[in-house]
Amino acid sequence: MTVIAENWLDTLVDEVRPHLAAGSVSTYLPELSRARADELAVAVDLGGGNILTAGNSKARFTVQSVVKVFTLLLALHHRGEDHVFARVGRDQGIGSYNSLETFIRGSGVPVNPFVNAGALVVVDMLPGDGPQHRVADLLDFVRLLTGNAAVTVNEAVARSELALSDRNRALGYFLRSHRLITGDVEELLWAYCQMCAIEVDVVDLAHAGRVLADGVDVHLGGRLLQAWHVRLVRRLMLFGGMYEASGRYATEVGIPAKCGVSGAMMGVVPRCAGVGIYGPALDESANSIGGLRLMRLLAGALEIE
Amino acid sequence: MTVIAENWLDTLVDEVRPHLAAGSVSTYLPELSRARADELAVAVDLGGGNILTAGNSKARFTVQSVVKVFTLLLALHHRGEDHVFARVGRDQGIGSYNSLETFIRGSGVPVNPFVNAGALVVVDMLPGDGPQHRVADLLDFVRLLTGNAAVTVNEAVARSELALSDRNRALGYFLRSHRLITGDVEELLWAYCQMCAIEVDVVDLAHAGRVLADGVDVHLGGRLLQAWHVRLVRRLMLFGGMYEASGRYATEVGIPAKCGVSGAMMGVVPRCAGVGIYGPALDESANSIGGLRLMRLLAGALEIE
Amino acid sequence: MTVIAENWLDTLVDEVRPHLAAGSVSTYLPELSRARADELAVAVDLGGGNILTAGNSKARFTVQSVVKVFTLLLALHHRGEDHVFARVGRDQGIGSYNSLETFIRGSGVPVNPFVNAGALVVVDMLPGDGPQHRVADLLDFVRLLTGNAAVTVNEAVARSELALSDRNRALGYFLRSHRLITGDVEELLWAYCQMCAIEVDVVDLAHAGRVLADGVDVHLGGRLLQAWHVRLVRRLMLFGGMYEASGRYATEVGIPAKCGVSGAMMGVVPRCAGVGIYGPALDESANSIGGLRLMRLLAGALEIE
Amino acid sequence: MTVIAENWLDTLVDEVRPHLAAGSVSTYLPELSRARADELAVAVDLGGGNILTAGNSKARFTVQSVVKVFTLLLALHHRGEDHVFARVGRDQGIGSYNSLETFIRGSGVPVNPFVNAGALVVVDMLPGDGPQHRVADLLDFVRLLTGNAAVTVNEAVARSELALSDRNRALGYFLRSHRLITGDVEELLWAYCQMCAIEVDVVDLAHAGRVLADGVDVHLGGRLLQAWHVRLVRRLMLFGGMYEASGRYATEVGIPAKCGVSGAMMGVVPRCAGVGIYGPALDESANSIGGLRLMRLLAGALEIE
């Protein structure tokens, strides 16, 4: 690994900041629309307690689609690879993340666990009686991954998202009509909305990314995450984590990462580091402008293959 | 018009009956699956009280998708041509009637009022407070069209359909996410399921078809159906009433007609006759085998253009 | 039929003419781009030598896609209904007339004989040794239909079209890779381009339309066109002759017709009249603005069902 | 890197060989159909002259789609990243490699350089006067990459492929109608067919793969391949090199690789090794059964991220 100058991250953030003006914050939810487009924060967790940060690292934000990484890990843990990938694909997907076209192709299943249809199928797989139990279990898992027991759900955001979920509701009923989910759709949506509304900061995401960076089995509370499952998730993040910009990201950057509509981004540099970013200024693909540029600079600095 | 032998219709039914064995009744709903595949009935209403029947003309059945003709007429009456066709297309449509692919094409609206998505948009347009009011209004309209005040909703079929409506529920929420419908989706589905479950016999359908056969304005209770609206509906029936078999039907038969999954079929021979058919043995396109064959024989006998 | 005032057609043309300014002539071929956007001509052939005309009825123009009606008739004559419709569909088709998406759907064949892919399949069916023989045979047929032995191919237009045929060439090779055509693709294209470049005037088209208006077998030279075949073609024209505007046309107008990118249009009023129109000002669907409006006025005047 | 036992590769081949019976050789070309389904050969080039082989490493075969890696490298060298990726995408692609659906999506360009449409666009970019010049230039490049000056084109295979190229011919004309290629389509096809028919053995492919494995600029004759271009190609191979099985391969294996319909496969283990495989028994996705299994075993042994 390249030697890292002390104010290295600050320099990267300074380099990226002028580009933020080209984007705008999400208006998907009232709460997201109140974010500041000029906000940019990053944390890099190198393990062993070494965490570098730059920008406003105390800013808190909801994880949104980043949670799909955590739900997939938990589903693999509880159900196993065969069960999961019989119900959701491993393809990159083309087109909008919440499109009806991103699923039910030849294989008859959502193209991957990171489009909304796939995420709903994955959440439906999680064990638990009712949405509260499932959310509590996932929250416990996220607290262990982030190393932050104070992580919690922003209920206002969750309720706001539920009220604007007609597209996901349509996906849910369509999936149930194809028997790809089996439970109550409204309960599933409520669980999903709460999961997306888990609130973190960039240090939390960097810590979680660092946990997923090693090639070994991970013990988290009573759970044992198999190294193979974590690797599968890293690979899916590598080529499918950036919505419709995934192909471009995979060829130009190369750090497995997942973005969320809040401007959240979590990266995993294998055997090296976890990265947490918050940059709510989004491009037209709903990807964080600051996040994509920071990841590209980090990939260069870290000589990512 | 060709001179009609006295037992003319019986002869046609006898000619068609041997073909019924190639089909099977719908298993979409438990109630439909109990129909008899060898059932075949037809009525031709020539106006002036002249109604010919053949087969078991007393058999009662639910109208299912035939109701989409009635809801479209009512929506045109209440909202006008521009309002209706800004929200639903006038194209034939290709593919399954309940497919997600049959709507939101270039124009952004369901391809026509006879695919399920289009029918839901049309029912959402009907005036009334809540589903019961809308159903009552439509039922009143159907009673006037059929000339049968005893026509009513089969509540058991309606409830059965509601319980199996995940696909239509998905369509409903998807349409609402695109602002193509505005009301409560569950209430809309309940109204729609009841409308599909209106129970009639072939004489009822023939009478309704006869009302729609003339090129003049039609007075029905307090309603005035404009001749132009009725003609638009006849034309849509001509080339779009038979699901994915519409193109073949339009070229080979030529009588404007609409089918339902129960085996119901209503035909409108312009300025001549209404046709009601009940033939629950369906082909692989969910069209009534007996209905299609009878329509073709009638078209030949009546020298339909 | 309504009684027709003496200067009836002139009145219709005067009513339509102000709308021409909203369109523009095709730039598809250099020769077409030289047409005058304010040109409008119409002829109505009522049979028995009664032909009404209005506008510049001497203007000559190439038939372009109108020829697809003639090639289909000839293919039905030579090959029969089963052969033809095993290789080309009878559906309305949605989307652009030269799109790759308009064919090879579920059925694996072009959606209808009026999209370019379908027309190529139909021309490939015509008997004859090489393109010149096929063109000569079709030209002979068109001369008989139009009653004008002077009708000929505009070679300059044909060569211009051939030089700009990459899309049709792609369709041709794709169709051959699916074994839907069997001959030499370049020869097929050359035949097709010549057929599209047959030059006529509105009286020619009106005469041809009148021949196709009757419900009886038609003798043309040594050929016998079966009434049933002619009716099939009329029905396909009714709901599929206007490219992507076919559904709207079929519901709003109701006269079986076929348009061409030159602004040519041929209509067939069953058992009544043939209509020829030339109006090179096209709308965004490549349909003649003047043609569509004249057809609608004619349909109203003739009380078309 | 793991220490490698002397007969390590033989063991892997022995483990894989029983699975070959589940596949069958390609019947796409007569020459390919004569391959032996039980053939399996592999070479691993670790650099510095250390090459391990197992199976019949003398077997010669045509590279087929593996050549798309070489043409892409050459296009990047001659035209630069911006030029290339303005004309071809970097997405994984879903569906058949020669499908008309794999290109002209939202972006209007082929989804990636490894589907046939994308490869044709790339070959059209290569400099040179006429097909022979282009083929000679590419062949020179391949000889340098393989370190084998005796590599040549199998003319019989090239001619056989040209004669069966209607699908690719359709793609070519379609691309030209969209101005994505500019040259003569027949000449382009002839160049492309010859390139696909370059004949190699597994040692050749392993050597080429090893050249592409390093993260440094590569001098090849007078050409300088930029490290960044080679990395872009490795990443595209990683997630898009296995036709419709690309997503599954990328998550389950993780070695950048490209397959061909002959059963050829070239892998690139970054900073470590090149892999050449020949296994003509193909699965239903046209991927080499032996190749996929060997790659998976190699990935495990080499602890590929």
PDB file of all heavy atoms in Angstrom, chain A residues 90-92 231-232 234-235 247 250-253 304-305, chain D residues 90 92 231-232 234-235 247 250-253 271 304-305:
ATOM      1  N   ARG A  90     -27.645 -12.387 -10.184  1.00  0.00           N
ATOM      2  CA  ARG A  90     -26.318 -11.839  -9.894  1.00  0.00           C
ATOM      3  C   ARG A  90     -25.834 -11.058 -11.113  1.00  0.00           C
ATOM      4  O   ARG A  90     -24.652 -11.038 -11.409  1.00  0.00           O
ATOM      5  CB  ARG A  90     -25.341 -12.988  -9.596  1.00  0.00           C
ATOM      6  CG  ARG A  90     -25.429 -13.503  -8.199  1.00  0.00           C
ATOM      7  CD  ARG A  90     -24.809 -14.876  -8.106  1.00  0.00           C
ATOM      8  NE  ARG A  90     -25.581 -15.864  -8.855  1.00  0.00           N
ATOM      9  CZ  ARG A  90     -25.296 -17.156  -8.898  1.00  0.00           C
ATOM     10  NH1 ARG A  90     -24.267 -17.624  -8.245  1.00  0.00           N
ATOM     11  NH2 ARG A  90     -26.047 -17.965  -9.599  1.00  0.00           N
ATOM     12  N   ASP A  91     -26.772 -10.440 -11.827  1.00  0.00           N
ATOM     13  CA  ASP A  91     -26.397  -9.688 -13.023  1.00  0.00           C
ATOM     14  C   ASP A  91     -26.370  -8.198 -12.721  1.00  0.00           C
ATOM     15  O   ASP A  91     -26.953  -7.727 -11.760  1.00  0.00           O
ATOM     16  CB  ASP A  91     -27.384  -9.987 -14.163  1.00  0.00           C
ATOM     17  CG  ASP A  91     -27.262 -11.414 -14.639  1.00  0.00           C
ATOM     18  OD1 ASP A  91     -26.122 -11.858 -14.872  1.00  0.00           O
ATOM     19  OD2 ASP A  91     -28.291 -12.086 -14.753  1.00  0.00           O
ATOM     20  N   GLN A  92     -25.684  -7.483 -13.593  1.00  0.00           N
ATOM     21  CA  GLN A  92     -25.474  -6.072 -13.302  1.00  0.00           C
ATOM     22  C   GLN A  92     -26.773  -5.266 -13.361  1.00  0.00           C
ATOM     23  O   GLN A  92     -26.977  -4.365 -12.559  1.00  0.00           O
ATOM     24  CB  GLN A  92     -24.481  -5.504 -14.322  1.00  0.00           C
ATOM     25  CG  GLN A  92     -24.005  -4.117 -14.010  1.00  0.00           C
ATOM     26  CD  GLN A  92     -22.904  -3.751 -14.988  1.00  0.00           C
ATOM     27  OE1 GLN A  92     -23.144  -3.431 -16.141  1.00  0.00           O
ATOM     28  NE2 GLN A  92     -21.687  -3.814 -14.525  1.00  0.00           N
ATOM     29  N   ARG A 231     -17.187 -12.310   0.387  1.00  0.00           N
ATOM     30  CA  ARG A 231     -16.546 -12.087  -0.921  1.00  0.00           C
ATOM     31  C   ARG A 231     -17.587 -11.960  -2.037  1.00  0.00           C
ATOM     32  O   ARG A 231     -17.460 -11.110  -2.921  1.00  0.00           O
ATOM     33  CB  ARG A 231     -15.592 -13.238  -1.228  1.00  0.00           C
ATOM     34  CG  ARG A 231     -14.934 -13.142  -2.578  1.00  0.00           C
ATOM     35  CD  ARG A 231     -13.860 -14.190  -2.767  1.00  0.00           C
ATOM     36  NE  ARG A 231     -12.642 -13.831  -2.055  1.00  0.00           N
ATOM     37  CZ  ARG A 231     -11.658 -14.683  -1.775  1.00  0.00           C
ATOM     38  NH1 ARG A 231     -11.779 -15.958  -2.115  1.00  0.00           N
ATOM     39  NH2 ARG A 231     -10.587 -14.271  -1.138  1.00  0.00           N
ATOM     40  N   LEU A 232     -18.608 -12.802  -2.026  1.00  0.00           N
ATOM     41  CA  LEU A 232     -19.679 -12.696  -3.025  1.00  0.00           C
ATOM     42  C   LEU A 232     -20.295 -11.296  -3.005  1.00  0.00           C
ATOM     43  O   LEU A 232     -20.562 -10.694  -4.052  1.00  0.00           O
ATOM     44  CB  LEU A 232     -20.787 -13.721  -2.734  1.00  0.00           C
ATOM     45  CG  LEU A 232     -20.539 -15.170  -3.088  1.00  0.00           C
ATOM     46  CD1 LEU A 232     -21.760 -16.005  -2.681  1.00  0.00           C
ATOM     47  CD2 LEU A 232     -20.272 -15.342  -4.576  1.00  0.00           C
ATOM     48  N   ARG A 234     -18.895  -8.522  -1.870  1.00  0.00           N
ATOM     49  CA  ARG A 234     -17.933  -7.550  -2.408  1.00  0.00           C
ATOM     50  C   ARG A 234     -17.969  -7.530  -3.929  1.00  0.00           C
ATOM     51  O   ARG A 234     -17.916  -6.479  -4.575  1.00  0.00           O
ATOM     52  CB  ARG A 234     -16.502  -7.902  -1.951  1.00  0.00           C
ATOM     53  CG  ARG A 234     -16.150  -7.458  -0.557  1.00  0.00           C
ATOM     54  CD  ARG A 234     -14.643  -7.484  -0.314  1.00  0.00           C
ATOM     55  NE  ARG A 234     -14.028  -8.785  -0.499  1.00  0.00           N
ATOM     56  CZ  ARG A 234     -13.828  -9.672   0.486  1.00  0.00           C
ATOM     57  NH1 ARG A 234     -14.193  -9.409   1.738  1.00  0.00           N
ATOM     58  NH2 ARG A 234     -13.257 -10.816   0.232  1.00  0.00           N
ATOM     59  N   ARG A 235     -18.003  -8.735  -4.514  1.00  0.00           N
ATOM     60  CA  ARG A 235     -18.000  -8.799  -5.983  1.00  0.00           C
ATOM     61  C   ARG A 235     -19.265  -8.183  -6.581  1.00  0.00           C
ATOM     62  O   ARG A 235     -19.202  -7.490  -7.607  1.00  0.00           O
ATOM     63  CB  ARG A 235     -17.844 -10.253  -6.436  1.00  0.00           C
ATOM     64  CG  ARG A 235     -16.444 -10.782  -6.189  1.00  0.00           C
ATOM     65  CD  ARG A 235     -16.346 -12.264  -6.488  1.00  0.00           C
ATOM     66  NE  ARG A 235     -14.985 -12.757  -6.364  1.00  0.00           N
ATOM     67  CZ  ARG A 235     -14.650 -14.042  -6.421  1.00  0.00           C
ATOM     68  NH1 ARG A 235     -15.584 -14.962  -6.600  1.00  0.00           N
ATOM     69  NH2 ARG A 235     -13.397 -14.408  -6.296  1.00  0.00           N
ATOM     70  N   GLY A 247     -21.716  -0.151 -14.584  1.00  0.00           N
ATOM     71  CA  GLY A 247     -20.692  -0.589 -15.532  1.00  0.00           C
ATOM     72  C   GLY A 247     -19.567   0.418 -15.634  1.00  0.00           C
ATOM     73  O   GLY A 247     -18.378   0.062 -15.610  1.00  0.00           O
ATOM     74  N   ALA A 250     -17.563   0.305 -12.405  1.00  0.00           N
ATOM     75  CA  ALA A 250     -16.737  -0.908 -12.273  1.00  0.00           C
ATOM     76  C   ALA A 250     -15.473  -0.826 -13.121  1.00  0.00           C
ATOM     77  O   ALA A 250     -14.413  -1.312 -12.726  1.00  0.00           O
ATOM     78  CB  ALA A 250     -17.549  -2.141 -12.648  1.00  0.00           C
ATOM     79  N   THR A 251     -15.577  -0.216 -14.301  1.00  0.00           N
ATOM     80  CA  THR A 251     -14.376  -0.132 -15.142  1.00  0.00           C
ATOM     81  C   THR A 251     -13.485   1.039 -14.751  1.00  0.00           C
ATOM     82  O   THR A 251     -12.268   0.950 -14.843  1.00  0.00           O
ATOM     83  CB  THR A 251     -14.743   0.031 -16.635  1.00  0.00           C
ATOM     84  OG1 THR A 251     -15.803   0.977 -16.772  1.00  0.00           O
ATOM     85  CG2 THR A 251     -15.168  -1.289 -17.238  1.00  0.00           C
ATOM     86  N   GLU A 252     -14.062   2.121 -14.292  1.00  0.00           N
ATOM     87  CA  GLU A 252     -13.260   3.320 -14.034  1.00  0.00           C
ATOM     88  C   GLU A 252     -12.725   3.409 -12.615  1.00  0.00           C
ATOM     89  O   GLU A 252     -11.734   4.096 -12.370  1.00  0.00           O
ATOM     90  CB  GLU A 252     -14.090   4.571 -14.340  1.00  0.00           C
ATOM     91  CG  GLU A 252     -14.360   4.738 -15.822  1.00  0.00           C
ATOM     92  CD  GLU A 252     -14.930   6.106 -16.146  1.00  0.00           C
ATOM     93  OE1 GLU A 252     -15.270   6.848 -15.215  1.00  0.00           O
ATOM     94  OE2 GLU A 252     -15.029   6.404 -17.348  1.00  0.00           O
ATOM     95  N   VAL A 253     -13.388   2.772 -11.655  1.00  0.00           N
ATOM     96  CA  VAL A 253     -12.965   2.911 -10.258  1.00  0.00           C
ATOM     97  C   VAL A 253     -12.422   1.587  -9.708  1.00  0.00           C
ATOM     98  O   VAL A 253     -11.235   1.458  -9.427  1.00  0.00           O
ATOM     99  CB  VAL A 253     -14.114   3.444  -9.380  1.00  0.00           C
ATOM    100  CG1 VAL A 253     -13.634   3.650  -7.949  1.00  0.00           C
ATOM    101  CG2 VAL A 253     -14.635   4.771  -9.959  1.00  0.00           C
ATOM    102  N   ILE A 304      -5.739   0.344  -6.780  1.00  0.00           N
ATOM    103  CA  ILE A 304      -6.737  -0.723  -6.827  1.00  0.00           C
ATOM    104  C   ILE A 304      -6.675  -1.445  -8.172  1.00  0.00           C
ATOM    105  O   ILE A 304      -6.600  -0.811  -9.215  1.00  0.00           O
ATOM    106  CB  ILE A 304      -8.144  -0.108  -6.655  1.00  0.00           C
ATOM    107  CG1 ILE A 304      -8.297   0.489  -5.267  1.00  0.00           C
ATOM    108  CG2 ILE A 304      -9.233  -1.127  -6.944  1.00  0.00           C
ATOM    109  CD1 ILE A 304      -8.219  -0.501  -4.163  1.00  0.00           C
ATOM    110  N   GLU A 305      -6.679  -2.759  -8.146  1.00  0.00           N
ATOM    111  CA  GLU A 305      -6.801  -3.501  -9.389  1.00  0.00           C
ATOM    112  C   GLU A 305      -8.236  -3.360  -9.884  1.00  0.00           C
ATOM    113  O   GLU A 305      -8.504  -3.129 -11.044  1.00  0.00           O
ATOM    114  CB  GLU A 305      -6.454  -4.978  -9.206  1.00  0.00           C
ATOM    115  CG  GLU A 305      -6.807  -5.863 -10.404  1.00  0.00           C
ATOM    116  CD  GLU A 305      -6.200  -5.393 -11.716  1.00  0.00           C
ATOM    117  OE1 GLU A 305      -5.109  -4.758 -11.693  1.00  0.00           O
ATOM    118  OE2 GLU A 305      -6.808  -5.594 -12.783  1.00  0.00           O
TER     119      GLU A 305
ATOM    120  N   ARG D  90     -19.999   0.121 -21.453  1.00  0.00           N
ATOM    121  CA  ARG D  90     -19.194  -0.637 -20.495  1.00  0.00           C
ATOM    122  C   ARG D  90     -20.106  -1.365 -19.527  1.00  0.00           C
ATOM    123  O   ARG D  90     -19.777  -1.535 -18.361  1.00  0.00           O
ATOM    124  CB  ARG D  90     -18.292   0.337 -19.710  1.00  0.00           C
ATOM    125  CG  ARG D  90     -17.067   0.781 -20.465  1.00  0.00           C
ATOM    126  CD  ARG D  90     -16.498   2.026 -19.845  1.00  0.00           C
ATOM    127  NE  ARG D  90     -17.382   3.162 -20.086  1.00  0.00           N
ATOM    128  CZ  ARG D  90     -17.108   4.419 -19.702  1.00  0.00           C
ATOM    129  NH1 ARG D  90     -15.995   4.674 -19.036  1.00  0.00           N
ATOM    130  NH2 ARG D  90     -17.934   5.399 -19.966  1.00  0.00           N
ATOM    131  N   GLN D  92     -22.631  -4.701 -18.428  1.00  0.00           N
ATOM    132  CA  GLN D  92     -22.478  -6.146 -18.489  1.00  0.00           C
ATOM    133  C   GLN D  92     -23.262  -6.752 -19.643  1.00  0.00           C
ATOM    134  O   GLN D  92     -22.798  -7.677 -20.294  1.00  0.00           O
ATOM    135  CB  GLN D  92     -22.951  -6.758 -17.165  1.00  0.00           C
ATOM    136  CG  GLN D  92     -22.617  -8.212 -17.002  1.00  0.00           C
ATOM    137  CD  GLN D  92     -22.982  -8.653 -15.602  1.00  0.00           C
ATOM    138  OE1 GLN D  92     -24.144  -8.821 -15.261  1.00  0.00           O
ATOM    139  NE2 GLN D  92     -21.969  -8.804 -14.777  1.00  0.00           N
ATOM    140  N   ARG D 231      -5.801  -2.222 -17.746  1.00  0.00           N
ATOM    141  CA  ARG D 231      -6.640  -2.426 -16.551  1.00  0.00           C
ATOM    142  C   ARG D 231      -8.128  -2.319 -16.892  1.00  0.00           C
ATOM    143  O   ARG D 231      -8.939  -3.118 -16.425  1.00  0.00           O
ATOM    144  CB  ARG D 231      -6.273  -1.384 -15.496  1.00  0.00           C
ATOM    145  CG  ARG D 231      -7.137  -1.475 -14.255  1.00  0.00           C
ATOM    146  CD  ARG D 231      -6.632  -0.572 -13.154  1.00  0.00           C
ATOM    147  NE  ARG D 231      -5.454  -1.134 -12.506  1.00  0.00           N
ATOM    148  CZ  ARG D 231      -4.622  -0.427 -11.727  1.00  0.00           C
ATOM    149  NH1 ARG D 231      -4.836   0.865 -11.541  1.00  0.00           N
ATOM    150  NH2 ARG D 231      -3.587  -0.995 -11.155  1.00  0.00           N
ATOM    151  N   LEU D 232      -8.498  -1.349 -17.718  1.00  0.00           N
ATOM    152  CA  LEU D 232      -9.898  -1.225 -18.157  1.00  0.00           C
ATOM    153  C   LEU D 232     -10.380  -2.522 -18.800  1.00  0.00           C
ATOM    154  O   LEU D 232     -11.485  -2.999 -18.544  1.00  0.00           O
ATOM    155  CB  LEU D 232     -10.049  -0.082 -19.170  1.00  0.00           C
ATOM    156  CG  LEU D 232     -10.040   1.356 -18.669  1.00  0.00           C
ATOM    157  CD1 LEU D 232     -10.180   2.318 -19.849  1.00  0.00           C
ATOM    158  CD2 LEU D 232     -11.165   1.584 -17.664  1.00  0.00           C
ATOM    159  N   ARG D 234      -9.097  -5.563 -18.389  1.00  0.00           N
ATOM    160  CA  ARG D 234      -9.222  -6.607 -17.356  1.00  0.00           C
ATOM    161  C   ARG D 234     -10.542  -6.495 -16.613  1.00  0.00           C
ATOM    162  O   ARG D 234     -11.216  -7.495 -16.349  1.00  0.00           O
ATOM    163  CB  ARG D 234      -8.074  -6.488 -16.340  1.00  0.00           C
ATOM    164  CG  ARG D 234      -6.744  -7.044 -16.773  1.00  0.00           C
ATOM    165  CD  ARG D 234      -5.801  -7.270 -15.582  1.00  0.00           C
ATOM    166  NE  ARG D 234      -5.480  -6.048 -14.866  1.00  0.00           N
ATOM    167  CZ  ARG D 234      -4.419  -5.269 -15.113  1.00  0.00           C
ATOM    168  NH1 ARG D 234      -3.567  -5.591 -16.083  1.00  0.00           N
ATOM    169  NH2 ARG D 234      -4.208  -4.194 -14.400  1.00  0.00           N
ATOM    170  N   ARG D 235     -10.918  -5.265 -16.270  1.00  0.00           N
ATOM    171  CA  ARG D 235     -12.168  -5.082 -15.521  1.00  0.00           C
ATOM    172  C   ARG D 235     -13.384  -5.461 -16.360  1.00  0.00           C
ATOM    173  O   ARG D 235     -14.318  -6.086 -15.853  1.00  0.00           O
ATOM    174  CB  ARG D 235     -12.260  -3.624 -15.051  1.00  0.00           C
ATOM    175  CG  ARG D 235     -11.296  -3.315 -13.926  1.00  0.00           C
ATOM    176  CD  ARG D 235     -11.308  -1.826 -13.573  1.00  0.00           C
ATOM    177  NE  ARG D 235     -10.460  -1.537 -12.434  1.00  0.00           N
ATOM    178  CZ  ARG D 235     -10.166  -0.296 -12.020  1.00  0.00           C
ATOM    179  NH1 ARG D 235     -10.663   0.743 -12.672  1.00  0.00           N
ATOM    180  NH2 ARG D 235      -9.400  -0.103 -10.972  1.00  0.00           N
ATOM    181  N   GLY D 247     -22.548 -12.413 -15.077  1.00  0.00           N
ATOM    182  CA  GLY D 247     -22.806 -12.039 -13.694  1.00  0.00           C
ATOM    183  C   GLY D 247     -22.473 -13.179 -12.740  1.00  0.00           C
ATOM    184  O   GLY D 247     -21.826 -12.999 -11.713  1.00  0.00           O
ATOM    185  N   ALA D 250     -18.699 -13.590 -12.636  1.00  0.00           N
ATOM    186  CA  ALA D 250     -18.014 -12.520 -11.899  1.00  0.00           C
ATOM    187  C   ALA D 250     -18.138 -12.709 -10.398  1.00  0.00           C
ATOM    188  O   ALA D 250     -17.205 -12.412  -9.647  1.00  0.00           O
ATOM    189  CB  ALA D 250     -18.574 -11.161 -12.315  1.00  0.00           C
ATOM    190  N   THR D 251     -19.279 -13.200  -9.940  1.00  0.00           N
ATOM    191  CA  THR D 251     -19.427 -13.380  -8.496  1.00  0.00           C
ATOM    192  C   THR D 251     -18.816 -14.690  -8.012  1.00  0.00           C
ATOM    193  O   THR D 251     -18.283 -14.760  -6.915  1.00  0.00           O
ATOM    194  CB  THR D 251     -20.914 -13.367  -8.067  1.00  0.00           C
ATOM    195  OG1 THR D 251     -21.672 -14.153  -8.974  1.00  0.00           O
ATOM    196  CG2 THR D 251     -21.461 -11.956  -8.042  1.00  0.00           C
ATOM    197  N   GLU D 252     -18.841 -15.730  -8.829  1.00  0.00           N
ATOM    198  CA  GLU D 252     -18.394 -17.034  -8.363  1.00  0.00           C
ATOM    199  C   GLU D 252     -16.918 -17.301  -8.627  1.00  0.00           C
ATOM    200  O   GLU D 252     -16.308 -18.126  -7.951  1.00  0.00           O
ATOM    201  CB  GLU D 252     -19.228 -18.147  -9.009  1.00  0.00           C
ATOM    202  CG  GLU D 252     -20.657 -18.153  -8.501  1.00  0.00           C
ATOM    203  CD  GLU D 252     -21.407 -19.396  -8.925  1.00  0.00           C
ATOM    204  OE1 GLU D 252     -20.886 -20.154  -9.770  1.00  0.00           O
ATOM    205  OE2 GLU D 252     -22.523 -19.598  -8.422  1.00  0.00           O
ATOM    206  N   VAL D 253     -16.340 -16.658  -9.627  1.00  0.00           N
ATOM    207  CA  VAL D 253     -14.953 -16.965  -9.976  1.00  0.00           C
ATOM    208  C   VAL D 253     -14.029 -15.769  -9.697  1.00  0.00           C
ATOM    209  O   VAL D 253     -13.185 -15.816  -8.812  1.00  0.00           O
ATOM    210  CB  VAL D 253     -14.828 -17.410 -11.448  1.00  0.00           C
ATOM    211  CG1 VAL D 253     -13.392 -17.794 -11.788  1.00  0.00           C
ATOM    212  CG2 VAL D 253     -15.762 -18.598 -11.707  1.00  0.00           C
ATOM    213  N   ARG D 271      -1.258  -9.208 -11.856  1.00  0.00           N
ATOM    214  CA  ARG D 271       0.082  -9.239 -11.260  1.00  0.00           C
ATOM    215  C   ARG D 271       0.541 -10.654 -10.935  1.00  0.00           C
ATOM    216  O   ARG D 271       1.330 -10.851 -10.018  1.00  0.00           O
ATOM    217  CB  ARG D 271       0.116  -8.389  -9.974  1.00  0.00           C
ATOM    218  CG  ARG D 271      -0.409  -6.997 -10.264  1.00  0.00           C
ATOM    219  CD  ARG D 271      -0.430  -6.121  -9.061  1.00  0.00           C
ATOM    220  NE  ARG D 271      -1.325  -4.986  -9.349  1.00  0.00           N
ATOM    221  CZ  ARG D 271      -1.428  -3.898  -8.615  1.00  0.00           C
ATOM    222  NH1 ARG D 271      -0.700  -3.769  -7.534  1.00  0.00           N
ATOM    223  NH2 ARG D 271      -2.248  -2.938  -8.950  1.00  0.00           N
ATOM    224  N   ILE D 304      -8.056 -15.706  -5.307  1.00  0.00           N
ATOM    225  CA  ILE D 304      -8.449 -14.510  -6.057  1.00  0.00           C
ATOM    226  C   ILE D 304      -9.469 -13.703  -5.277  1.00  0.00           C
ATOM    227  O   ILE D 304     -10.403 -14.259  -4.730  1.00  0.00           O
ATOM    228  CB  ILE D 304      -9.068 -14.952  -7.408  1.00  0.00           C
ATOM    229  CG1 ILE D 304      -8.031 -15.624  -8.281  1.00  0.00           C
ATOM    230  CG2 ILE D 304      -9.712 -13.765  -8.127  1.00  0.00           C
ATOM    231  CD1 ILE D 304      -6.926 -14.713  -8.720  1.00  0.00           C
ATOM    232  N   GLU D 305      -9.273 -12.401  -5.217  1.00  0.00           N
ATOM    233  CA  GLU D 305     -10.309 -11.559  -4.627  1.00  0.00           C
ATOM    234  C   GLU D 305     -11.449 -11.430  -5.641  1.00  0.00           C
ATOM    235  O   GLU D 305     -12.596 -11.451  -5.334  1.00  0.00           O
ATOM    236  CB  GLU D 305      -9.775 -10.167  -4.287  1.00  0.00           C
ATOM    237  CG  GLU D 305     -10.847  -9.163  -3.903  1.00  0.00           C
ATOM    238  CD  GLU D 305     -11.762  -9.607  -2.775  1.00  0.00           C
ATOM    239  OE1 GLU D 305     -11.304 -10.409  -1.934  1.00  0.00           O
ATOM    240  OE2 GLU D 305     -12.927  -9.203  -2.749  1.00  0.00           O
TER     241      GLU D 305
END
